[in-house]
Structures are given as structure tokens and as C-alpha cells.
Amino acid sequence: MGFAFIWLLPLFWTLWNSLRPYSEVLRRGLFSWPNTWTLDNYLEAFQKMSVVRYFLNTIIILVPSVTFILFFASMTAFVLTKYRIPFERSILALFLAGSLLPAQVIYYPVFKMYLMVGDIFGNRNMFYDNYSGVILLHIAMQTGFATLVLHSNLRSIPKDYSEAAMVDGATVMQHYFRVILPMLKAPLASLGILLTTLIYNDFVVSWSLLKTDRHFPITTSLSRVGAFSLVIPDHNVLAAGSVLVALPLLIFYFILRRHFNSGVSFAFTNK
């Protein structure tokens, strides 16, 4: 109970400050009881942060990232599980090592690589400061983890289904789409929800590989109200902006909380 209180306290503190004017905080102090409750902070944050546009940017990055991660991971796990592949354990070990590698280590090399590839093709923004570069990095960072999770799940599927498909003359793609994929609907849904949460909450990848304001996802929109800059922000507007950024994911969680909880337990029990 005590740990729950400590964890929830910053959330309640942010919500509380978002509903009071900053002028009152300056006049009466941060810990004073407010005389005025207002939604003006939310209106100002909504206007300054361009929430709708930034949220659409997030969707543009999120949907293809999750889709391709699930497709590549399920295909890779399927081949490694149902067919004899040389160095299978070594491949899985590389996936595990990649999942354990701190993401911050690869940002600068990826940034230099994007610029180099862009220079070769005569367009520096081919991947850098482009949605495609962020999407590709998310795919590269999360596919190994997703493959490990789905590989463990596929091992629990009886071999009889695969053997029957091979006897019937099914091709590899028919085997995957008609036999294996229908059995992976629940694991893919749970894993997709978990990946959606991870990618939606990303800040560093987008902040590192995007420089044009019109491309930024919603997690970086707080920069428009003074966060992450030398501008002294109105902290109460900043608190309201933080609530607006978290709100879509909170709604997503409450709608699919059963699947989200099963996705978290699924990922960590099968990794």
C-alpha cells in the first residue's frame, strides 16, 4: 500500500497542479491550498502543443512500427521453430543480446549511418529527420525481443499441425498464414498492446533522429510549452500538457486493460 501511494503521488501532484493557475502558486507557494480551480491550463497547453497534429505524427510512427515488428518477429520465430535452421541457438542468443543492449548506445551510430546513406543517395533527409528512420529504428530495436517471446510460444504448439501441413504439400508461406498465424492471434494481440505502449512512450529515439517540428510525436510536444529548453515554463501549463500527453494511452489502457495485463505477463513469462 505504501509503495502504491509513493508511485501514485507524482501523478496526483501533476493533476492537482494542472488545475490551478501558476500566478497563485507564485503568490502563495507551491504547497498552498488553491483558492481557484481552472481548466485554462489545459486550453493553453492544447493550443501551444498542437496536440492533434502531434498525436497524428505518433500514429504515423506507431502503426507501421508495431505492424512490421509483429510480422517480422512472427515469421522469424516460425522459421526458427518449425524448420531446421543452422545456428538457431546462436541467432536466438544474438536476439537476446540485442534486447539487453541499452538503446542509448546505438543512437549516435545510427544518426551517422543515416547521414552517410543519405549522402550516398543525394538526400540527407532520406532517413534522418524522416518518419521512415524512426520507424526502422523501432523495428530494429523491438523485433528481437518480440521474436524471443513468440519463439517460446510457438514451441508449445504441437508439431502435428506442421507435419500435417507439410504432408499436404503446403508451401512455407501457406504453412505460416494458414496454420501458424491463426494460432498466434492471442499472443500477437497481447504483444501488440505491449509494443504500442513502449513505442508511444518513446521520447529519446524521436528527439535524437527528428529535427523538424512538424515530424515530432506527442511525447516531444512538451517542448512547445518550455520543457527541454532554456525557456522558463509555466509549470502548471506543463503539468496540464503532461496529462494531455498521457491521456490517450490511459484511455487505451482502460479499454484494453485485461489484454494489457495479460500481454505484460505473457511477455515476461515467455521471454
Side-chain angles (χ1 to χ4, degrees):
M1 191 66 180
F3 286 108
F5 175 78
I6 293 173
W7 187 82
L8 290 172
L9 182 60
L11 302 180
F12 286 121
W13 183 261
T14 301
L15 182 61
W16 182 53
N17 277 292
S18 70
L19 294 171
R20 52 188 306 206
Y22 191 46
S23 58
E24 185 177 290
V25 174
L26 293 175
R27 186 174 64 254
R28 304 184 59 208
L30 185 63
F31 298 99
S32 61
W33 185 259
N35 289 331
T36 305
W37 299 97
T38 179
L39 294 175
D40 291 345
N41 294 324
Y42 286 93
L43 296 175
E44 184 176 349
F46 190 87
Q47 293 172 354
K48 286 185 175 180
M49 292 167 57
S50 300
V51 172
V52 175
R53 184 182 54 153
Y54 279 77
F55 182 72
L56 290 176
N57 290 343
T58 298
I59 297 299
I60 292 172
I61 294 171
L62 180 64
V63 172
S65 296
V66 173
T67 302
F68 282 110
I69 290 169
L70 293 178
F71 176 71
F72 291 144
S74 59
M75 282 287 291
T76 305
F78 156 67
V79 172
L80 290 174
T81 307
K82 302 304 178 183
Y83 294 91
R84 292 185 177 180
I85 303 297
F87 309 109
E88 175 186 348
R89 292 186 177 180
S90 300
I91 294 172
L92 291 173
L94 288 174
F95 283 145
L96 178 60
S99 300
L100 297 176
L101 183 71
Q104 291 81 357
V105 173
I106 67 173
Y107 292 147
Y108 184 71
V110 168
F111 163 75
K112 297 294 289 184
M113 181 184 69
Y114 280 174
L115 293 182
M116 181 183 68
V117 173
D119 288 338
I120 292 173
F121 288 94
N123 180 12
R124 276 210 153 191
N125 292 336
M126 184 176 182
F127 294 114
Y128 175 64
D129 194 29
N130 196 307
Y131 294 125
S132 60
V134 178
I135 292 170
L136 286 173
L137 187 54
H138 280 306
I139 294 172
M141 289 171 56
Q142 301 297 340
T143 299
F145 164 74
T147 300
L148 288 172
V149 172
L150 293 174
H151 179 269
S152 299
N153 186 268
L154 279 169
R155 288 176 65 90
S156 65
I157 297 177
K159 294 183 179 180
D160 297 345
Y161 296 102
S162 297
E163 292 173 353
M166 294 177 187
V167 169
D168 289 341
T171 64
V172 174
M173 298 307 292
Q174 289 173 335
H175 185 187
Y176 170 73
F177 281 107
R178 296 184 181 180
V179 179
I180 298 300
L181 197 58
M183 298 182 184
L184 287 178
K185 286 183 179 179
L188 286 174
S190 299
L191 188 57
I193 293 169
L194 182 60
L195 290 170
T196 296
T197 305
L198 294 174
I199 295 174
Y200 181 93
N201 284 326
D202 167 69
F203 169 79
V204 181
V205 171
S206 301
W207 192 254
S208 303
L209 299 179
L210 296 173
K211 69 174 182 179
T212 305
D213 182 75
R214 68 176 184 274
H215 290 146
F216 285 156
I218 196 168
T219 48
T220 62
S221 63
L222 291 173
S223 62
R224 297 176 66 92
V225 289
F228 327 122
S229 71
L230 299 178
V231 179
I232 299 176
D234 182 327
H235 293 283
N236 295 58
V237 174
L238 186 57
S242 301
V243 174
L244 290 176
V245 169
L247 189 59
L249 198 59
L250 287 173
I251 295 172
F252 179 76
Y253 169 76
F254 282 114
I255 293 174
L256 300 172
R257 59 184 179 276
R258 287 186 180 180
H259 298 284
F260 178 84
N261 293 333
S262 64
V264 173
S265 60
F266 169 80
F268 288 101
T269 55
N270 287 278
K271 189 172 180 180

